[in-house]
Amino acid sequence: MHLLNLGILAHVDAGKTSLTERLLHTVGITDEIGSVDAGSTRTDTLALERRRGITIKSAVVSFAIDDVTVNLIDTPGHPDFIAEVERVLGVLDGAVLVVSAVEGVQAQTRILMRTLQRLHIPTLLFVNKIDRRGADIDGVLRAISQRLTPAVVPMGTTGAAGTRDAWFRPGLDAGVLDVLAEHDDELLTAWVEGSAMSHTTLRAALTAQTRQALVHPVYFGSAITGAGVDALVTGLKELLPPADGDPDGPVSGTVFKVERGPAGEKVAYARMFSGTLRTRDRIPVSDGGQEGRITAISVFDQGTDARADAVSAGRIARLWGLADVRIGDALGEPRKAYEHFFAPPTLETVVVPGPGTDGRRLHLALTRLAEQDPLIDLRHDEVRQETAVSLYGEVQKEVVQATLAEEFGLEVTFRETTTICIERPAGSGAAVEFNKKDDNPFLATVGLRVDPAPIGSGIGFRLEVELGSMPYAFFKAVEDTVRETLGQGLHGWQVADCVVTMTHSGYSPRQSHAHQGFDKSMSSTGADFRGVTPLVLVEALRRAGTRVYEPMHRFRLEAPADTLGALLPVLAALRAVARTTETRGAGCVLEGDVPAGRVHELEQRLPGLTRGEGELESAFDHYAPVTHGRLPERPRTDHNPLNRKEYLLNVTRRVGS
């Protein structure tokens, strides 16, 4: 029996969860079709998901198509929950991207398709809602070719679109040869020579190219009426590649989701790529050296998950016993490093406890939410006793608030959402603190130089001193502290894209008085290097200088041409810059850049400015220098090495004169 790990992806409200329900009914898993409006869907199990009618957490359900077992993963469509989609992509064998026949290609549709193509994930497209009034089959197919990919193959014809009687009839038209010939020399020769091609030959070429993610078959139908779904089921079985992996090979898997069980225990969702994992096995987790012991396993089968003694290559399982596991961890032999496919969150807000809400319980609850979402970052300020959480948007903030209330019994509010900026070095700067000299109270010599690095290169750490000049643990303490300290630059923002070079090193060897034990006051420890490094690094940064950069979104705005007069002044006030303007009949398309912090306001004002006809899509594109007004500052949550006296009082009692 073959296995297929399948993801269903879409822009919000394209009908992705409804299609999942129809698939489960079609293959015989459910007797009745769940309804998003009624809150009775199989995969939206959270009360909040059913109340709001949106998917927030990815869910796994299994079913069989003849001899193929499909593990179907339903993912969120709302861009605020893109992290849920990200973690799933690395475990898929294939995907179905759902497009609405009414709304057409939307912002999230384009983002998802670009990512699927970059990762070479074989993808079928399903144009949903052909039964809805306003369904435009030709227009949507044209938009898919123009805005997603030209390598599309319509898998049949439709009729009665826009009515409850809309239908889809499978079949390949003559145009399929044009698309397939782009990637097959034999087909190209036959096409040039005008030779006839059998249906079997074309179908085999289509299957091969689909499995290589070179072309993308397009099905049409309706999740509500069931039109076209049988054809899609056949396509899942025949066109998408089965999971591979040797069950007798070395154990290798990836954790893509972590949740808490009824007793608060961690439950890890993992895709096995190689080998077989059994209960009571001890397994290396990630590359940090720690091990976990599997206490229980459940695998997905026939619409539910059932306890099993083992899980082998190709399967998805729930695992118990891995107390320290995190999303993205490798189980056994690492397959590849965990990648972020989407931009990090660019917004942040401070969580404010409501009356009677215990701050410690709130911090624990937020920590548990963050461990289930690798792209959410918590910043806790011990001095102000405040916790800030990073976000993708306002809907996510509402969901965090509701989750804290319903799952943890904690009432909270939020401060105004702010933008998360970054800092980059403006030049080069160096500083050094010498052991036992001047007012350095730490038994450590550390010299550091900060240099700018290419955009997107991250943080680099190098040595200009001999590695054997002092114990390795001291070098490791310096490097770890450098990376931690760069989380807050001169203006409080994370410092990005720089190289830090260690230029000086020195320590006091282990010493003791005669006939006595180790004397800490005379011998260097790791704490000395962890203590002095922030002072050296921020002084080097101060000499280099830093620039503050704000996140920018690339936007695409479609609106009636006669509304441009009202639109352009508002865009200018929001600091949005239109790079291109194109008129298309009575409409126009503007593309440009807008600060991430102003996107929400633009979304709110757009309907009133465009008579409700404006369409906006935006996504993070780059960081740009802040050139207006005062530079944004972020309150520090560390011991503030920018203030030497304050820092030394906070960090150590062994302060020099």
Side-chain angles (χ1 to χ4, degrees):
M1 177 174 281
H2 291 162
L3 292 165
L4 170 64
N5 296 298
L6 175 73
I8 301 241
L9 300 88
H11 186 99
V12 65
D13 290 335
K16 170 182 50 58
T17 300
S18 296
L19 177 60
T20 300
E21 292 297 320
R22 172 61 69 172
L23 285 171
L24 294 178
H25 179 71
T26 300
V27 298
I29 293 298
T30 57
D31 295 327
E32 295 184 6
I33 299 174
S35 165
V36 173
D37 294 335
S40 58
T41 58
R42 184 68 173 267
T43 53
D44 286 346
T45 56
L46 299 178
L48 187 59
E49 291 178 312
R50 293 184 169 182
R51 189 168 65 247
R52 291 189 65 110
I54 61 173
T55 302
I56 297 170
K57 296 290 184 182
S58 58
V60 182
V61 63
S62 181
F63 58 85
I65 307 175
D66 298 330
D67 63 341
V68 177
T69 295
V70 179
N71 290 320
L72 186 150
I73 308 177
D74 184 20
T75 62
H78 199 286
D80 280 13
F81 309 105
I82 196 67
E84 283 289 328
V85 180
E86 173 179 276
R87 67 192 64 171
V88 166
L89 292 177
V91 303
L92 297 182
D93 303 308
V96 174
L97 182 62
V98 184
V99 182
S100 168
V102 179
E103 289 83 10
V105 174
Q106 297 170 279
Q108 190 78 343
T109 320
R110 298 180 71 193
I111 293 171
L112 292 169
M113 188 63 182
R114 283 199 300 266
T115 307
L116 289 165
Q117 289 176 312
R118 189 167 70 247
L119 298 175
H120 303 290
I121 296 176
T123 302
L124 310 182
L125 282 80
F126 184 78
V127 178
N128 191 27
K129 303 183 181 180
I130 66 170
D131 60 317
R132 297 284 184 89
R133 180 181 301 175
D136 181 3
I137 305 301
D138 293 336
V140 171
L141 189 57
R142 188 165 53 249
I144 289 173
S145 297
Q146 293 173 350
R147 300 175 65 186
L148 296 183
T149 173
V152 293
V153 176
M155 296 301 291
T157 56
T158 62
T163 73
R164 293 286 292 184
D165 297 324
W167 50 265
F168 174 75
R169 184 175 297 121
L172 296 176
D173 63 21
V176 65
L177 183 57
D178 297 358
V179 179
L180 297 177
E182 289 284 332
H183 310 285
D184 189 314
D185 290 341
E186 290 186 14
L187 289 179
L188 178 60
T189 301
W191 180 75
V192 171
E193 295 176 352
S195 303
M197 302 295 295
S198 69
H199 179 273
T200 302
T201 300
L202 289 176
R203 189 77 185 192
L206 176 63
T207 299
Q209 293 190 25
T210 301
R211 292 182 174 186
Q212 297 174 62
L214 297 174
V215 302
H216 305 283
V218 183
Y219 293 85
F220 299 85
S222 167
I224 298 301
T225 67
V229 175
D230 286 336
L232 176 63
V233 169
T234 301
L236 296 178
K237 175 189 173 184
E238 296 180 357
L239 298 176
L240 293 180
D244 58 5
D246 180 6
D248 298 320
V251 172
S252 178
T254 299
V255 175
F256 66 91
K257 179 177 178 178
V258 174
E259 65 182 16
R260 293 275 178 172
E265 76 280 14
K266 279 188 179 181
V267 182
Y269 287 67
R271 156 78 189 266
M272 298 301 298
F273 290 98
S274 173
T276 300
L277 190 60
R278 298 176 175 82
T279 53
R280 295 181 294 279
D281 279 356
R282 298 196 68 86
I283 184 77
V285 178
S286 196
D287 52 5
Q290 72 267 32
E291 280 194 346
R293 182 174 180 272
I294 305 299
T295 58
I297 297 173
S298 68
V299 296
F300 293 91
D301 190 31
Q302 291 299 306
T304 186
D305 62 307
R307 289 300 174 102
D309 294 326
V311 55
S312 57
R315 281 194 171 274
I316 289 176
R318 301 171 77 207
L319 307 174
W320 282 259
L322 305 176
D324 298 320
V325 73
R326 296 174 302 175
I327 291 168
D329 277 350
L331 302 179
E333 290 193 3
R335 181 169 172 263
K336 62 180 179 178
Y338 181 66
E339 299 178 68
H340 288 315
F341 308 125
F342 301 104
T346 55
L347 304 174
E348 183 178 64
T349 184
V350 172
V351 185
V352 180
T357 296
D358 180 72
R360 287 171 297 183
R361 285 185 60 212
L362 174 59
H363 183 67
L364 176 61
L366 287 170
T367 301
R368 288 195 171 183
L369 289 183
E371 73 184 15
Q372 298 173 25
D373 194 331
L375 296 186
I376 283 186
D377 183 39
L378 294 181
R379 296 179 70 251
H380 186 64
D381 188 335
E382 290 287 353
V383 177
R384 300 172 185 82
Q385 288 298 299
E386 295 176 346
T387 300
V389 59
S390 55
L391 302 166
Y392 278 97
E394 296 298 316
V395 172
Q396 189 181 14
K397 185 163 69 173
E398 296 171 22
V399 169
V400 169
Q401 184 179 40
T403 303
L404 289 172
E406 295 178 7
E407 295 188 15
F408 299 94
L410 301 171
E411 298 296 330
V412 302
T413 56
F414 299 93
R415 291 193 191 150
E416 183 181 2
T417 301
T418 57
T419 303
I420 301 176
C421 299
I422 64 169
E423 296 181 48
R424 291 190 177 117
S428 298
V432 62
E433 293 272 351
F434 290 100
N435 185 359
K436 301 179 183 177
K437 287 188 179 181
D438 300 323
D439 61 345
N440 176 13
F442 303 101
L443 296 180
T445 293
V446 173
L448 298 171
R449 185 179 68 249
V450 177
D451 297 299
I455 292 176
S457 60
I459 304 298
F461 182 79
R462 298 173 183 169
L463 297 178
E464 277 186 2
V465 295
E466 291 292 335
L467 187 59
S469 61
M470 64 180 187
Y472 173 75
F474 294 163
F475 286 111
K476 188 68 166 64
V478 172
E479 180 178 359
D480 290 347
T481 307
V482 161
R483 296 186 183 279
E484 180 182 348
T485 304
L486 288 176
Q488 301 182 73
L490 302 182
H491 301 279
W493 305 105
Q494 181 171 351
V495 181
D497 304 327
C498 68
V499 174
V500 179
T501 304
M502 190 170 183
T503 58
H504 296 74
S505 66
Y507 73 109
S508 296
R510 186 179 182 92
Q511 301 180 47
S512 61
H513 296 290
H515 309 298
Q516 295 183 21
F518 168 63
D519 187 346
K520 168 64 184 74
S521 66
M522 301 170 60
S523 312
S524 298
T525 67
D528 288 298
F529 288 89
R530 288 190 295 270
V532 75
T533 296
L535 287 174
V536 179
L537 183 57
V538 298
E539 182 58 30
L541 274 176
R542 205 189 319 250
R543 295 174 183 179
T546 64
R547 293 192 181 101
V548 177
Y549 292 72
E550 64 180 336
M552 302 293 292
H553 278 216
R554 177 62 54 91
F555 74 85
R556 184 179 191 276
L557 195 160
E558 296 187 26
D562 62 359
T563 65
L564 266 182
L567 261 176
L568 292 177
V570 172
L571 290 174
L574 296 176
R575 295 192 291 114
V577 178
R579 305 292 182 188
T580 62
T581 304
E582 180 184 351
T583 301
R584 297 179 180 176
C588 64
V589 178
L590 287 77
E591 294 189 1
D593 303 319
V594 59
R598 313 306 291 269
V599 171
H600 184 60
E601 184 177 351
L602 178 57
E603 290 172 337
Q604 291 181 313
R605 299 187 64 176
L606 188 62
L609 295 168
T610 61
R611 303 189 297 272
E613 298 178 47
E615 294 183 10
L616 174 70
E617 61 180 69
S618 74
F620 172 82
D621 187 70
H622 65 282
Y623 287 94
V626 176
T627 57
H628 63 283
R630 294 181 57 186
L631 288 178
E633 303 274 344
R634 192 189 215 180
R636 302 192 73 88
T637 59
D638 58 9
H639 293 300
N640 192 18
L642 291 170
N643 185 322
R644 185 183 185 90
K645 183 177 180 180
E646 176 187 337
Y647 176 81
L648 292 176
L649 287 172
N650 285 327
V651 171
T652 179
R653 298 179 182 275
R654 183 154 54 88
V655 180
S657 58

